[in-house]
Amino acid sequence: MIDPLSQLIQLLRPRTVFTKGISGAGRWAVRYAEFGEPSFCTVVEGACRLAVDGETPVTLGAGDFVLLPTTPGFTLSGFDPVQPTFIDPKAVPAPTDEVRHGRQHGEPDVRLLGGYFVLDSPDAGLLVSLLPALMHLRGIDRLSTLVRLVGDEARDERPGRDLVLARLVEVMLVEALRSIQGESATPGLLRGLGDARLAVAIRKIHADPAHAWTVAELANEAALSRSVFFERFTRAVGVPPMEYLLVWRMAIAKDLLRQRDLDLASVAERVGYGSASTFSTAFSRHVGQPPGRYARMASA
């Protein structure tokens, strides 16, 4: 059975993981500038406060997991008021040892393991569209374990390190996305997959994106009337069925064009277009540039 979530993660291609230990004691606070790349952390022990720009501040405790899909500016601190120290993650060199904030001696009040990764995909925005700006999860041991494994692997220079890190981050993302699937998810693929009827139609799209799907045909697959299916799909996924099909086709096309292993006619056929010219028109309208130019720029 086709798994749309796995397909999405594979298409995003997460890579280049960096991790570090963070601890704090006494009166401390740090203000991080906007970073832009996805970042994550788990609390190993203790507790602290996290205030992400535009979001309600949260208290983090042992075992908590946080994912920031675009890492806006945020403040991490203890619980006593203090002027935060400003840090620009793009300007300072990456630390190699645990970073200690506040009192430098004695046992820390909190210890965290955090890191970031990049998505080697032109459709990195797909991840952002699936998740809230701040994802805070409690009590999911598998996520905490995965973050620790990422940290262990990132510190070592063992053979196969890059491949293992890429796979660990893929699994971490799947676990994080699984945890919000259904009604708690923002409109998008995850909420759609949480609806058993819609999930059937979504899997059909992903199993055969080149098929000339119609709303009526997908509604039949979902065992719903055409009007109910259209309204239910649009509300859950955030876009109408045919627009979702187009977005997925174009995501696949971008990936194929970046690889440059197929000619334009073959790419067109893979994503459901009868000719290279028809595909080129649709791609240009959706992406804003012809597929040939996109392929050249993507591989430059």
Side-chain angles (χ1 to χ4, degrees):
M1 183 181 294
I2 292 296
D3 180 3
L5 183 54
S6 296
Q7 285 188 322
L8 175 68
I9 297 298
Q10 290 167 2
L11 196 67
L12 290 172
R13 290 202 198 90
R15 63 176 179 84
T16 314
V17 181
F18 168 75
T19 62
K20 65 178 178 180
I22 305 167
S23 63
R27 291 165 54 87
W28 66 279
V30 286
R31 166 71 184 173
Y32 285 87
E34 179 183 356
F35 184 52
E37 304 291 355
S39 63
F40 59 91
C41 81
T42 188
V43 182
V44 178
E45 62 182 8
C48 63
R49 186 174 181 271
L50 172 65
V52 176
D53 291 358
E55 304 294 322
T56 303
V58 296
T59 296
L60 305 181
D64 285 12
F65 173 85
V66 170
L67 176 64
L68 302 175
T70 61
T71 313
F74 67 91
T75 299
L76 192 67
S77 68
F79 298 100
D80 295 324
V82 62
Q83 183 67 28
T85 300
F86 180 76
I87 297 175
D88 184 348
K90 294 181 179 178
V92 298
T96 55
D97 298 320
E98 182 175 281
V99 177
R100 180 68 172 261
H101 300 298
R103 189 182 67 244
Q104 296 297 301
H105 305 291
E107 288 296 312
D109 299 323
V110 64
R111 289 181 60 239
L112 308 94
L113 180 63
Y116 72 86
F117 55 92
V118 298
L119 301 170
D120 188 21
S121 165
D123 279 315
L126 285 172
L127 178 64
V128 178
S129 71
L130 292 174
L131 297 170
L134 165 62
M135 187 172 177
H136 176 207
L137 302 170
R138 288 192 166 108
I140 303 180
D141 293 338
R142 286 164 65 95
L143 278 170
S144 297
T145 299
L146 284 165
V147 174
R148 290 188 180 93
L149 288 172
V150 167
D152 291 343
E153 193 66 33
R155 282 190 297 272
D156 295 333
E157 295 292 337
R158 290 179 290 184
R161 171 182 178 273
D162 290 345
L163 178 62
V164 171
L165 279 174
R167 294 297 176 263
L168 284 173
V169 172
E170 286 181 354
V171 176
M172 183 176 70
L173 279 175
V174 169
E175 285 293 332
L177 292 168
R178 276 176 175 173
S179 70
I180 62 167
Q181 186 171 310
E183 286 301 316
S184 62
T186 54
L189 175 61
L190 295 175
R191 184 180 288 184
L193 290 174
D195 183 318
R197 296 286 183 88
L198 298 182
V200 174
I202 292 171
R203 289 192 178 98
K204 289 291 184 179
I205 288 173
H206 281 252
D208 191 4
H211 182 75
W213 294 107
T214 64
V215 174
E217 194 174 5
L218 289 170
N220 184 61
E221 295 287 351
L224 296 168
S225 71
R226 185 185 184 281
S227 59
V228 169
F229 170 76
F230 183 89
E231 190 277 332
R232 190 156 151 180
F233 189 103
T234 304
R235 186 177 66 248
V237 181
V239 295
M242 292 299 98
E243 186 173 341
Y244 179 82
L245 173 62
L246 174 64
V247 169
W248 184 244
R249 282 175 168 175
M250 291 300 137
I252 295 171
K254 287 179 184 178
D255 190 54
L256 293 173
L257 289 168
R258 290 178 77 250
Q259 297 177 41
R260 307 198 73 171
D261 293 332
L262 300 173
D263 60 25
L264 199 58
S266 298
V267 173
E269 184 180 1
R270 288 278 190 97
V271 294
Y273 290 87
S275 69
S277 60
T278 305
F279 165 68
S280 183
T281 299
F283 187 92
S284 299
R285 185 183 301 118
H286 183 78
V287 179
Q289 58 183 312
R293 184 189 303 167
Y294 176 87
R296 289 191 297 273
M297 293 180 64
S299 60

CSV table of all heavy atoms in Angstrom, one decimal, residues 18 56 64 155 279 299:
chain,number,residue,atom,x,y,z
A,18,PHE,N,23.0,19.0,12.6
A,18,PHE,CA,23.9,19.5,13.6
A,18,PHE,C,23.2,19.4,14.9
A,18,PHE,O,22.1,19.8,15.0
A,18,PHE,CB,24.3,20.9,13.3
A,18,PHE,CG,25.0,21.6,14.4
A,18,PHE,CD1,26.4,21.3,14.7
A,18,PHE,CD2,24.4,22.5,15.2
A,18,PHE,CE1,27.0,21.9,15.7
A,18,PHE,CE2,25.0,23.1,16.3
A,18,PHE,CZ,26.4,22.8,16.6
A,56,THR,N,2.3,31.5,22.0
A,56,THR,CA,2.1,31.5,23.5
A,56,THR,C,3.3,30.8,24.1
A,56,THR,O,3.7,29.7,23.7
A,56,THR,CB,0.8,30.9,23.9
A,56,THR,OG1,-0.3,31.5,23.3
A,56,THR,CG2,0.7,31.0,25.5
A,64,ASP,N,10.0,16.3,27.0
A,64,ASP,CA,9.3,17.1,25.9
A,64,ASP,C,10.1,17.1,24.7
A,64,ASP,O,11.4,17.1,24.7
A,64,ASP,CB,9.1,18.5,26.4
A,64,ASP,CG,7.9,18.5,27.5
A,64,ASP,OD1,7.5,17.5,28.0
A,64,ASP,OD2,7.5,19.7,27.8
A,155,ARG,N,28.0,13.3,16.7
A,155,ARG,CA,29.3,13.5,17.3
A,155,ARG,C,30.4,12.6,16.8
A,155,ARG,O,31.5,12.9,16.9
A,155,ARG,CB,29.1,13.3,18.9
A,155,ARG,CG,28.4,14.5,19.5
A,155,ARG,CD,28.5,14.4,21.0
A,155,ARG,NE,27.8,13.2,21.5
A,155,ARG,CZ,26.5,13.2,21.9
A,155,ARG,NH1,25.8,14.3,21.7
A,155,ARG,NH2,25.9,12.1,22.3
A,279,PHE,N,2.6,19.8,-20.6
A,279,PHE,CA,3.2,19.8,-19.3
A,279,PHE,C,4.0,21.1,-19.0
A,279,PHE,O,3.9,21.7,-18.0
A,279,PHE,CB,4.2,18.6,-19.1
A,279,PHE,CG,5.1,18.8,-18.0
A,279,PHE,CD1,4.7,18.7,-16.7
A,279,PHE,CD2,6.5,19.0,-18.2
A,279,PHE,CE1,5.6,18.8,-15.6
A,279,PHE,CE2,7.4,19.1,-17.2
A,279,PHE,CZ,6.9,19.0,-15.9
A,299,SER,N,20.2,22.6,-10.9
A,299,SER,CA,21.4,21.9,-10.9
A,299,SER,C,22.7,22.7,-11.0
A,299,SER,O,23.8,22.2,-11.0
A,299,SER,CB,21.4,20.9,-12.1
A,299,SER,OG,21.3,21.6,-13.3
